[in-house]
């Protein structure tokens, strides 16, 4: 429990196929792209200290969503420092 890590990820892809009615030139068209491609590494560095690294690799946004260090020594409170991206709503589900 003193040193641990886990690797997590998420990949969401969209694929569409249109017949000639929905395209400007009247011909069939296909489209495929990644909506989300994320890699997350988190764990415990010492007994009371943890970390979270979360990166988004999609075309529209290639950046770090979360880079944080956590102190868990004051249960049930967790103190976090860094870039934190809390999850709100159903968009992440």
């Amino acid at each position: 429990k003193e040193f641990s890590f886990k690797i997590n990820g998420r990949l969401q892809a969209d694929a569409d196929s249109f017949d000639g009615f929905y395209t400007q030139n009247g011909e069939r068209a296909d489209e495929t792209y990644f909506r989300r491609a994320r890699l997350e590494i988190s764990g415990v560095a010492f007994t009371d200290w943890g970390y979270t690294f979360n990166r988004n690799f999609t075309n529209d946004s290639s950046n770090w969503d979360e880079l944080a260090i956590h102190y868990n020594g004051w249960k049930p409170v967790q103190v976090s420092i860094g870039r934190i991206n809390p999850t709100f709503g159903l968009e992440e589900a």
Side-chain angles (χ1 to χ4, degrees):
K1 292 185 177 183
E2 188 171 340
F3 298 100
S4 65
F5 75 96
K6 69 177 180 177
I7 298 174
N8 191 8
R10 179 182 308 161
L11 183 64
Q12 292 180 326
D14 285 341
D16 299 319
S17 180
F18 305 97
D19 59 5
F21 183 75
Y22 294 107
T23 59
Q24 291 181 356
N25 60 4
E27 295 182 12
R28 187 176 178 277
D30 296 322
E31 179 182 44
T32 304
Y33 62 94
F34 289 117
R35 182 183 294 193
R36 290 182 188 89
R38 294 187 181 165
L39 178 65
E40 179 179 327
I41 300 172
S42 61
V44 177
F46 295 100
T47 304
D48 293 335
W49 293 90
Y51 57 90
T52 302
F53 304 127
N54 186 354
R55 178 148 181 155
N56 188 3
F57 291 100
T58 56
N59 292 336
D60 61 338
S61 172
S62 179
N63 57 15
W64 292 96
D65 288 337
E66 188 168 2
L67 286 167
I69 297 173
H70 313 289
Y71 180 70
N72 301 316
W74 299 321
K75 302 283 184 197
V77 176
Q78 180 185 58
V79 178
S80 298
I81 299 171
R83 181 183 175 118
I84 301 164
N85 188 14
T87 304
F88 292 109
L90 296 175
E91 180 66 24
E92 300 293 323

